[in-house]
Structures are given as C-alpha cells and as structure tokens.
Amino acid sequence: MGSLRTAGTARCLALPESSSTYLLQELKMIWDEVGQEENERERILEELEQECQEVYRRKVNSANMLRIQLHQALAESEAEFTNLLLSLGERSFPGRPEKMNGTLKEQLNSITPALQEMQMKKEARLKQFTEVQTEVQRIASEIAGRSENEVVTVNEDDLSLKKLEEHQSELQRLKREKGDRLCKVEEYKVLICNFAKIMGMDPSNVLASVHPSLLIGANEQQKKNISDDILNKLNTMVQQLKEEKNHRLEKLHSLGKALANLWNILDTAMEERQPYGQINIFSLTSANGMLGPGSLRLEKIQQIESEVQRLDQLKASKMKELFIKKKAEIEEICKISHMDVPYQTEMDNIMELIMSGDVDHDNLLKTMDGYIYKTKEEATSRKEIMDKVEKWITSCDEERWLEEYSRDERRYSVSRGAHRHLKRAERARIIANKIPGLVELLIEKTEIWEHGRKKIFYYDELPLLEMLKQYMLTLKEKEEERCRQRD
C-alpha cells in the first residue's frame, strides 16, 4: 500500500517526473535511515498530495480567469468596434477581419489594430464636431447677444458624416447671417456717423451710447454684438438722428427765410449780412441737398435764432416807421393817379394797433403789401384813361390860351415875338379842334372802366364822367353862343 501511495504521489507530482521521482526516492531513503514511521510517512505524503492539488487548482483558476478576461476583452472590443461603427455612421470597416479564427489572444490581437484605428478616427471626428459646434455656438451667441461661456457638449452617439454636414450647413448659414448683420451694422454706423458729423456731434459718443462693442476695431469684428437688440437700437438711433436732422434743417430753412425777410424789411447792410450768408444759402437748399460737417450744429442754429430774435425786436421798434413809409407809398401812388386813398379806415386801425403794441408784425406787413399791390393794380387800370385826361387838361390849357389870345386886340401888331404867338395860336387851334373827339373817347373808355369795375371813376375826388359830360355841355353852349354872335 505504501508503494502505491508513493506511486500515486509521484504521478501527482510528475512535473517533471524524473525530478519528483528522484525527490521521493531521496525522501524514502532519508525516512528509512531515520526510521520514520509508516503512519507519519502516510500523513506527510497526503499533505504533499493536497499541497500539489492546491497548486494545480490555483494554476487552473488563474488560467481560467485569463480565459474569462480574454473573452471579456474580446467581447468588449467587438462591442466597442460595433458602437464606433454606429457612432460614426459606418456599416463596415475594411481593416476589421470578417472571421475570428485562432486562439483568444490571436483573435484579440487581430481586432486591436482595427479598433485603435477606429478610435483614432472617432477622436478626429469628435475634434471636427467640437470645432464646428464651438463655432456655431460662438456665432449664435453673437447673434443672440449672449455670453460665450457656455460649454460645448458633443453627442458622441451620433458622429456620422451626415450629422457633421448638418452642423457645417448650420455654421455656413450662421456665417452668412453674421455677415449680413455685420454689413447692416456697418450701414447703420455710416449713417449715424454722417448724421452726427452734419449736426456737430461726436460719432464715438453716439455709437457708445448704443453699445460699447460698436467701437471695437475692424480686426476684432468677430467680437461685436450683432444681436437683434443691437440692430433695433441702431435702427432707432438712425431714425432719431434723421428726425433731429430734418427738424434742424426745417428750423434752419425757417430761420433763413425769416432772416432774409428781416434783412429786406430793415434794409440791412451787406456787412451785417455777411456772417450769416452761408446760413441763408442752406435755407434755400432742399432737404435732400448735400450738407457739410457741422452744417446743422445746434450752436449755429441757436446763433441764427438769436439774430432773428434781435432783428425781430428791431423790426418791432421800426414798425411804425415801416408802416408810415408804406402808407406814404400808397398815398404817392394815389396822388400820381389822382385817385382817392383806399383802405384809409383800415390803415387808421392798423396805426392804432401799432401804437398799442397788439399786432402781428408779419401779418401787418403782408396786409400793407397787399394794399400797395391793389393800389398799384388800380393805378395801372386807370393809366390809359389818366394819360388821355392829362392830354385833355393840356388841350384845355391850350384852348384857354387861344381864347385869351383871340381877345387880345394887339395880337396883330408888329412887336417882338408876335410871329411865335401866331405859330402857337395855330397849334392851339388844331389841338382845340381835337378836344371834342378826345372827350368823347374818354367818355367811352370811362364808361367801359366803370362798367367793368362796377364803381365810379374819380379824378381828384370828382366823378370824371360827370366832368367830361359837363365839359361837353359847356362846349355846346359855347358853340351856340358863337353861332348867335355870328348871326
């Protein structure tokens, strides 16, 4: 029985067999020499057998764990490879072996290069996604007016080229929108600068009041705020400046016309007009005309406004003098035309208003200018008749001289100048003979004038038509008298 156990123990320890056999034999020799008991020998051999089994078990377990790990690593690699294919949106990968043959290590070694290549491809794709999405978020933040502190999160479950193209398309759309918005911002800035310069404002201060980012240099355009809020504020500022410009331009036009009117009324010397000559030119230009820098500066408009107020006060102090001058002009026209002064009552009322100070000076001058115009029109309508009246009066003077000359008994005496009187008498006789025809023509034209105007034609406060008819009656009586005398 001891030999069998020895043989079994030897089989159990037969790795290598020669060494274990030799050691067992050496142990047996020692035991024999020592006189080791058989029971003790059995116990020791059993212990050796148990220890040998434990060593084998540990080695088997270790080998089994390695096999499990290799199976798990292989499964994980295949799963990761499959996930990478799905994530990258690819159906297959050329570097991946179609059939897995050989040992587990061989299979794992065969899939590892393809997996590493796929991982590198994923990293490259992930970098592309990160760059594109970061740029998309940055431009979207600029357009939305948000800060750029948000962290970009890439969905690693979908890194397909289709998804990347979608992000790239979105990026291109945002870039175009950004470009359009930057162009719009620049257009607004140019308009604001032009309006500000024309009105003598600092464009930088105006732009800064909208948003500080508008003052960033061209090399930092990407940092500009181009949100809807900024565009709306810029548009509002442009509209405000445009309205202010139009308001100032209208005010300048009004002041320029008022200034020119006052200069004409007050007969202002050219030396006094010179400092405001350019303003007067501006007042005559259209609203769409070209205006230089500072043309509508508030201080300049206020200066003109002060000058208009000063001249207006001066005009008020000279209004009585201006009124008297215009009234005298009307009276002179009436005197030359031998007609009554019209609007006498109205002008007396205006004079009372001037003395009381309760009068609109501009309306007063317009009223007086209207009276002058109507008086001149009246005088013009009377001119043809007045010319003939003057001719008639001159003819009557000649006729009276002829009558006096005819009664002079010495008219035929030889004296100095007698021949001249004879010649004048001949001329006077010719003129006198034409008087009846002239008076009849005057009567006809006067009747036409009165019928057209529906009023009486007065000459020095006397009805001209009655004067003419009375004269014709007198002529008739004279002619009858002369006939009686001849008979």
Side-chain angles (χ1 to χ4, degrees):
M1 182 178 179
S3 61
L4 290 173
R5 185 175 294 279
T6 301
T9 303
R11 284 195 302 272
C12 185
L13 299 174
L15 285 174
E17 185 177 356
S18 58
S19 300
S20 61
T21 302
Y22 173 76
L23 290 174
L24 285 173
Q25 289 176 356
E26 186 176 357
L27 181 60
K28 183 176 181 301
M29 289 176 60
I30 293 172
W31 280 345
D32 289 342
E33 185 178 352
V34 172
Q36 186 73 28
E37 294 181 358
E38 189 65 27
N39 293 334
E40 187 65 22
R41 290 184 182 187
E42 288 292 335
R43 185 185 64 77
I44 293 173
L45 287 174
E46 289 179 359
E47 289 179 356
L48 285 174
E49 185 176 0
Q50 289 178 359
E51 290 177 359
C52 182
Q53 289 178 354
E54 289 178 1
V55 171
Y56 269 104
R57 177 56 59 191
R58 285 196 299 270
K59 293 299 181 181
V60 170
N61 290 339
S62 177
N64 191 40
M65 287 298 296
L66 177 60
R67 182 183 65 179
I68 292 172
Q69 290 174 358
L70 288 174
H71 272 296
Q72 184 176 358
L74 184 59
E76 289 176 353
S77 297
E78 289 181 344
E80 183 179 359
F81 195 92
T82 301
N83 289 335
L84 287 172
L85 284 175
L86 294 174
S87 173
L88 296 174
E90 298 181 4
R91 298 181 178 180
S92 63
F93 185 72
R96 179 183 180 181
E98 296 182 1
K99 294 183 179 181
M100 304 292 287
N101 299 322
T103 64
L104 293 175
K105 287 185 177 181
E106 289 174 348
Q107 293 179 31
L108 187 61
N109 290 336
S110 67
I111 198 175
T112 298
L115 180 62
Q116 291 176 346
E117 188 173 350
M118 285 293 290
Q119 289 173 340
M120 293 175 61
K121 189 172 183 180
K122 177 186 176 181
E123 291 298 324
R125 187 74 59 80
L126 185 62
K127 183 179 180 182
Q128 288 179 299
F129 268 83
T130 302
E131 291 175 353
V132 172
Q133 287 186 238
T134 300
E135 187 70 6
V136 167
Q137 180 175 299
R138 185 184 66 79
I139 298 177
S141 297
E142 290 181 6
I143 292 175
R146 302 190 305 264
S147 62
E148 301 177 14
N149 298 327
E150 299 178 8
V151 178
V152 175
T153 302
V154 179
N155 181 16
E156 297 187 19
D157 293 335
D158 188 359
L159 298 177
S160 62
L161 288 174
K162 180 180 178 181
K163 194 67 176 179
L164 181 61
E165 289 175 356
E166 291 178 3
H167 287 303
Q168 289 174 338
S169 298
E170 176 67 9
L171 177 60
Q172 295 302 318
R173 185 191 68 78
L174 289 174
K175 283 183 176 180
R176 289 193 296 270
E177 183 176 353
K178 176 183 176 180
D180 294 340
R181 288 172 177 261
L182 285 173
C183 291
K184 197 68 177 176
V185 168
E186 290 303 314
E187 291 176 5
Y188 282 136
K189 286 177 64 178
V190 170
L191 289 174
I192 289 174
C193 290
N194 289 339
F195 285 140
K197 288 177 181 178
I198 289 173
M199 292 185 285
M201 301 176 180
D202 187 353
S204 299
N205 292 339
V206 178
L207 291 172
S209 67
V210 177
H211 198 276
S213 66
L214 297 172
L215 300 177
I216 295 177
N219 58 340
E220 299 182 8
Q221 263 189 352
Q222 66 277 10
K223 295 183 180 179
K224 286 183 178 178
N225 191 319
I226 52 176
S227 64
D228 290 337
D229 182 58
I230 292 298
L231 291 176
N232 291 335
K233 288 182 178 179
L234 284 170
N235 183 60
T236 301
M237 179 58 70
V238 168
Q239 295 303 320
Q240 290 175 351
L241 292 175
K242 185 177 181 180
E243 290 175 3
E244 178 65 18
K245 175 207 164 187
N246 292 336
H247 172 70
R248 292 189 184 186
L249 191 59
E250 288 176 3
K251 190 169 185 179
L252 186 61
H253 287 168
S254 176
L255 290 173
K257 291 179 181 178
L259 194 61
N261 187 40
L262 288 168
W263 282 343
N264 294 332
I265 292 173
L266 300 174
D267 293 329
T268 305
M270 293 303 299
E271 293 76 9
E272 296 182 29
R273 301 186 187 192
Q274 192 65 33
Y276 306 97
Q278 195 68 21
I279 299 299
N280 195 30
I281 292 174
F282 286 151
S283 69
L284 298 176
T285 60
S286 65
N288 298 323
M290 297 299 294
L291 298 173
S295 301
L296 300 179
R297 194 171 67 252
L298 191 60
E299 294 80 2
K300 183 179 290 186
I301 295 176
Q302 290 173 346
Q303 179 185 0
I304 301 303
E305 192 171 18
S306 299
E307 178 64 11
V308 170
Q309 290 175 354
R310 185 187 71 83
L311 292 178
D312 198 50
Q313 293 174 356
L314 181 61
K315 183 187 75 172
S317 65
K318 292 189 175 182
M319 188 51 60
K320 182 179 179 181
E321 177 182 347
L322 290 171
F323 171 75
I324 293 174
K325 181 179 179 181
K326 290 183 179 294
K327 183 180 179 183
E329 183 178 354
I330 293 175
E331 291 173 348
E332 181 63 22
I333 295 172
C334 294
K335 181 180 178 181
I336 294 174
S337 297
H338 297 274
M339 64 183 190
D340 296 338
V341 177
Y343 315 111
Q344 188 64 54
T345 303
E346 291 85 345
M347 289 191 290
D348 292 340
N349 293 334
I350 291 173
M351 189 62 182
E352 292 178 2
L353 291 173
I354 292 174
M355 297 303 294
S356 66
D358 185 17
V359 63
D360 185 340
H361 297 153
D362 291 334
N363 287 336
L364 165 63
L365 294 177
K366 289 179 181 178
T367 301
M368 292 301 295
D369 288 338
Y371 291 164
I372 292 173
Y373 174 80
K374 291 179 180 178
T375 304
K376 287 181 177 179
E377 185 184 25
E378 178 84 3
T380 301
S381 70
R382 293 165 57 95
K383 188 176 185 308
E384 183 180 4
I385 295 176
M386 288 304 302
D387 289 343
K388 296 186 179 307
V389 168
E390 294 298 326
K391 185 177 181 180
W392 171 51
I393 292 174
T394 304
S395 300
C396 289
D397 291 339
E398 289 295 312
E399 184 184 30
R400 282 191 295 272
W401 180 87
L402 181 60
E403 290 177 352
E404 293 176 358
Y405 177 76
S406 298
R407 287 194 296 268
D408 187 2
E409 296 179 354
R410 297 175 297 174
R411 62 184 181 276
Y412 298 117
S413 62
V414 178
S415 61
R416 180 180 294 179
H419 65 286
R420 288 196 300 269
H421 291 307
L422 286 173
K423 289 182 178 181
R424 180 180 178 184
E426 288 298 324
R427 289 196 303 271
R429 192 171 290 108
I430 294 172
I431 292 173
N433 291 334
K434 293 180 179 180
I435 289 177
L438 177 61
V439 172
E440 288 179 359
L441 181 60
L442 263 173
I443 291 173
E444 179 184 351
K445 289 191 174 296
T446 303
E447 288 176 345
I448 293 173
W449 188 94
E450 289 183 349
H451 179 73
R453 299 236 169 199
K454 292 184 172 47
K455 64 179 182 179
I456 298 173
F457 191 108
Y458 285 95
Y459 181 88
D460 289 339
E461 300 182 359
L462 296 175
L464 178 61
L465 200 56
E466 291 185 8
M467 293 171 57
L468 294 171
K469 290 180 178 179
Q470 184 64 38
Y471 179 80
M472 290 297 289
L473 184 59
T474 303
L475 279 181
K476 185 177 180 181
E477 291 176 352
K478 286 182 178 180
E479 183 62 27
E480 291 176 351
E481 182 64 23
R482 281 196 293 271
C483 289
R484 281 195 302 268
Q485 290 178 358
R486 282 197 300 271
D487 291 342

